[in-house]
Amino acid sequence: MKRLPVLWLLLWICAVYSVGIYLFVGGFLLVRLEVNRTSTCGDVLQPGEESADFCRVRPRFRRAVLLIIDALKIDFAWFDPDNAAPRPYENKLPVLEETVASRPAHSRLYPFRADPPTTTMQRIKGFTTGSLPTFVDVGNNFASSAILEDNLIHQFGQVGKRVVFMGDDTWENLFPKKFHRSLPFPSFNVKDLHTVDNGILQHLYTTMVGDDWDILVAHFLGVDHCGHRFGPDHPAMADKLTQMDGVIRSVIDRLQNDTLLVVMGDHGMTDTGDHGGESQKETDAAIFLYSPSPLFSTPPSQNEPDVVPQTDLVPTLALLLGVPIPYSSVGQVLLPVFAPHGQTEGAVGGLSQLEALWINAKQVNRFLETYSSMAKDIPPESVSQLKAEFSRLSSEYLATVRQGRPPSPQLAASLQAYLTSVRDTCRATWARFNPLKMAAGLVILALACLACLVLSELSHALLREDGPGLRGPVAAALAAAVCAAAAQLSWRGRVEAAWCLAAAAFSSELLFLWRARRCGTAGAEKSWSVGAGRPTLRRLLAPHLLVPLLRCASLLSDSYVVAEGRAVTFLLFSLALSIPIRLNWDGLLLPPSHDPLKAAGILPPPALAPSTVRKEGVTLVACLGLLVGVLYLSLSFHACREEQGACQPSPFLSPLSRLQDSRLKNLHYVLSVCALALWTYLLRRFLRHYGNLNAASGTVFAARQVLPLLSVCLALSWAVGATPEDSFRNLAQLIVLAQLVLPRAAFCLVALGSCLIWLDPLTVFTKTRAAASTRGPPAPPCYRASTGISPEAELHHLIPQIYQRMRRSLDDGELSRGAEEAGRPAVEAYGLGTVYTAPLLLFCGLLGVGLLLLHPEGMALSFLLLLLEMGALLHIHASSTTLSGPRAACAGGFNVPWTTVVLWSLAATQFFHATGHLPTFPSIQWGAAFVGFPDGHTGTVLPACLVALNTFASHILFSVACPLLLFWPLVCEVRGGRAGRAGGEDGEDAVMEMRLRENPRHFSSALLQLSTRYLFILGAQVFASVCAAAILRRHLMVWKVFAPKLMFEASGFLVSSASLLIGVTLVLRVDVAVGRWFKRLIPDASR
């Protein structure tokens, strides 16, 4: 078997796919241009006659306290006195409404709307810089880098204000060495509700009564972590909000007259406690403004804003505290905190509303001019229109000031409208696309799909000794990369790696396709003639082609993406149903009627015996029924998108720790443990049935000992994790230790079992006995390497002969029926017929239990359905292959048809949704990062890997198990027999997977063909998502639907391709071990 060529070809095709994805994403998700300029107190904004605009008026407040309560959604802040039965998150912050009602001139409460993505780091950037984040910023939420744009923290330091920070350590990463004093606490452990909050409270009040601060920032995390862990509708949320109510009261009591208090949330949360997207529940936080001195000159009125955008906080705080507005801010001042024109004297003092708007408008206009001169992404007509509007407003304002007459009421409204227009224009255009990179990525992905298709159809020809290989494409890639680097150096003076990769991938793809066309013309003709025939309308409308085309085309529809979980389930069922319909149409599903001509020998007998046809037909229909049941039940585990208004998420998506009903919690636990036990039993039952649990090997040890022990560890871990914190107080330390040890022990068992499988994969038990018959074959011939024949080539010929000898030995032993006589040795090998399937299936089983550990406990039922669906699809494939008979023969009889490959890929997507996942960022199950690590992580690589394993669990399992599609028809051939054998003729035995050893070249080409067909289907889906994102990049739903879908589809492809390589490598490792096993059976005289 040609192992290395298969691996190198698969690595190459995955690499070119990855380059195409990298290029397109690099052009599609570019970060907007950052203007690295800062405002100063000496800036003179044009037009104007003042010597300076910023810092020219005595600030309203000398100090400010910013209390950020992470995930403080507006629903938590409202208070309804008529609500007699409030939910855990309702009416728990009465201090806000009480203060607003009793002191309306000193306080206000507003909805505080964030711009998506609603992740903490992007929100901190938003309300400190006043700028708008871009979509790609969401990827940096757990890898925070220092903010380079002008921001409030920098401005406070520039004017000498001492900033003291305490709380979420994200601030320390964003503003390194910017604080007078800093007390950061680790923020990534979402299961920890108290460490950050208690750490703040230890220093907050003592700091406030001191005199070594001007700006105090405290970022509480308990509410956010409580939402992630339990959801908002949980008693723990009531406790945490009540604690925050006490904190706000204590802070208010300690404020001085020259101090401003701002209590705000950075984002909201969904009903499940998640955030990151752009639903109103995620974007609408709360902001509460208070000062012991009068802050508002007028009582609340109809002119109060309904919602305050987060960017508006930046210019408002800057002007209230007497610092310059950050250079890149596009927010507008909050007018109610400034006095109307002519009423700036007295208790309120400071700038008037019109003066604040004028400074704000000049600052925004300066930024717009600077940005439009540096970048060309804002349409020129929009820039011209905004500049003309500002020029008109400037003339009107300056004329009013020079003439000393009161301004018209429309002037302030016009300035507000101008500021709103600038922000809306920036928001609409700050998705800077690089069309050249996007086009290069599209071309490379298209060529990669074509190369993958060619590789699958010409796999046999490309693996010949005189095949083209990859030396030419790799050499062309290196040469093209060097040329691209030299061209960039001579032209631009620097080298961008993306274009070197693009040149390398493009040149290698072109050369591969050209050489494949030259060497594979005959192979292509043969492949088409046997496998497909001429492309006619009927063949173009074949289900295995129509279903992928429909799915790829549907990715252009936002409605399809929203309802993809159910749509893919329907497509999977429809395609599976087409298999028995096609077999029945061809007359292969039922036994043929009695034909006297065939009985008389005039016509050839049927390929399969009637009993075999009947048995396989029943098996196929039964497995189809099982598949339908699994698909129906799997719909019970789906999550809900925001767009699916009436949808209710599955109750199994909630961890047991969130369930308050003890009976329901016990029921979920029992069901989960039963599903886990059944998963383990079914795997061991298969291995025992085919004799794979008899050998003394590492794989058998993993099946007998490691797998059951792993299941016990997982069940105990669930029990410990579901234990409430206030239960078993005497065992609290032991429970905490168990929450740490049990998941890590499970991880270690998965690693141990995997290593045992890879190091010793054989599950064959060999027994030597004295055979009974003297009619056995003659002594084995002596094979010696002659001139021109390598020992490896001799061995390839010898191994099938040894196996045939062993088969004949067993047959003769059975004929003797116990009448043993001395004469020749006979060999019995148990588990040889499933020598490839057994370790691969066991590896998938161990991996599945490990991935289940990263999911909520209720997903054990979904994982069991996944295993049953795999089994149903494999048996449907095996039965249809057997019933198709000679029509399925291709590439030595090992061809896996396109229909089966498409079904397998659809099942991977279907169970992505059936394990509670969605192609949206709020649906990511961040809790997986803390399984076995309740105290958090020191880096970001390990938690990112755990979250990725959780998110793409179905992709991993189906990709690793993909080679089973090649082996399963061979495993199941023992169920039936050929018609010739039924009639008493000397037919061929059911040798199962040993057919692959007898045809090593066909084995290699079939494995390569199956892998590339699967990669082609996945790559076509990625290409369709890329096309949808490129075509609809200005669509209203691009950042909400199409861009997240692209990211999940691309990430899923990368994970799937890596998992497929692991599965194929395991098969090749088993093949090496099988070759060595056969080698040990060769007598010394025959070498």
Side-chain angles (χ1 to χ4, degrees), residues 716-1046:
L716 292 176
S717 176
W718 289 343
V720 171
T723 305
E725 292 183 352
D726 55 351
S727 301
F728 307 103
R729 296 186 182 274
N730 296 332
L731 301 176
Q733 295 298 325
L734 181 61
I735 291 174
V736 171
L737 181 63
Q739 290 176 343
L740 178 72
V741 171
L742 287 173
R744 292 189 180 185
F747 288 140
C748 292
L749 287 173
V750 173
L752 173 63
S754 302
C755 290
L756 290 174
I757 293 172
W758 283 82
L759 293 174
D760 190 10
L762 285 189
T763 56
V764 180
F765 175 68
T766 308
K767 180 179 179 182
T768 305
R769 62 178 175 79
S773 176
T774 59
R775 299 180 291 105
C782 294
Y783 291 89
R784 299 185 182 278
S786 58
T787 304
I789 303 178
S790 66
E792 290 80 6
E794 182 183 47
L795 188 61
H796 279 305
H797 173 67
L798 182 60
I799 287 176
Q801 299 298 324
I802 291 296
Y803 178 71
Q804 294 294 340
R805 171 174 171 254
M806 186 174 69
R807 280 179 44 209
R808 290 194 297 269
S809 172
L810 292 175
D811 288 344
D812 291 342
E814 291 173 1
L815 290 174
S816 67
R817 296 194 179 275
E820 299 184 355
E821 298 177 5
R824 63 178 180 81
V827 177
E828 290 179 344
Y830 298 91
L832 190 61
T834 53
V835 67
Y836 294 100
T837 298
L840 183 59
L841 190 62
L842 179 60
F843 179 67
C844 291
L846 288 171
L847 190 60
V849 177
L851 293 172
L852 176 57
L853 178 61
L854 301 175
H855 285 75
E857 299 86 346
M859 287 298 102
L861 296 169
S862 179
F863 271 68
L864 177 62
L865 294 177
L866 182 149
L867 182 65
L868 294 176
E869 182 168 320
M870 274 188 175
L873 290 175
L874 289 170
H875 279 86
I876 289 173
H877 167 50
S879 296
S880 64
T881 301
T882 302
L883 291 171
S884 297
R887 304 187 186 193
C890 183
F894 306 137
N895 174 57
V896 178
W898 279 103
T899 300
T900 305
V901 180
V902 174
L903 280 172
W904 202 252
S905 66
L906 288 175
T909 303
Q910 183 247 333
F911 262 99
F912 170 79
H913 293 270
T915 48
H917 297 290
L918 293 168
T920 61
F921 290 107
S923 69
I924 295 177
Q925 299 172 7
W926 300 109
F930 304 100
V931 175
F933 301 90
D935 297 327
H937 303 267
T938 56
T940 58
V941 175
L942 180 57
C945 291
L946 293 176
V947 171
L949 290 173
N950 165 274
T951 304
F952 300 105
S954 66
H955 295 75
I956 294 170
L957 290 175
F958 277 93
S959 298
V960 171
C962 187
L964 291 177
L965 296 174
L966 175 62
F967 303 129
W968 211 260
L970 303 174
V971 170
C972 296
E973 73 172 358
V974 74
R975 295 200 314 258
R978 300 289 176 184
R981 284 187 61 83
E985 299 176 10
D986 186 17
E988 188 178 11
D989 286 341
V991 299
M992 301 170 72
E993 292 177 356
M994 283 302 102
R995 293 187 188 277
L996 300 170
R997 294 295 308 177
E998 297 171 2
N999 301 277
R1001 179 179 295 179
H1002 290 312
F1003 185 11
S1004 303
S1005 63
L1007 184 60
L1008 177 62
Q1009 183 186 64
L1010 170 62
S1011 304
T1012 49
R1013 283 186 173 182
Y1014 190 67
L1015 286 174
F1016 173 77
I1017 298 296
L1018 298 179
Q1021 293 170 189
V1022 173
F1023 182 70
S1025 295
V1026 163
C1027 291
I1031 296 171
L1032 303 172
R1033 62 186 180 276
R1034 296 298 181 189
H1035 191 277
L1036 178 65
M1037 306 294 287
V1038 62
W1039 302 117
K1040 191 170 186 177
V1041 175
F1042 297 109
K1045 177 60 178 173
L1046 167 64

Side-chain angles (χ1 to χ4, degrees), residues 30 78 104 183 359 393 426 518 554 633 704 738 751 755 775 812 824 878 892 957 985 1024 1030 1082:
L30 280 178
W78 297 131
L183 296 168
I359 295 174
L393 294 173
C426 292
R518 290 189 59 191
S554 299
L633 292 176
R704 285 184 171 276
C755 290
R775 299 180 291 105
D812 291 342
R824 63 178 180 81
L957 290 175
E985 299 176 10
I1082 304 174

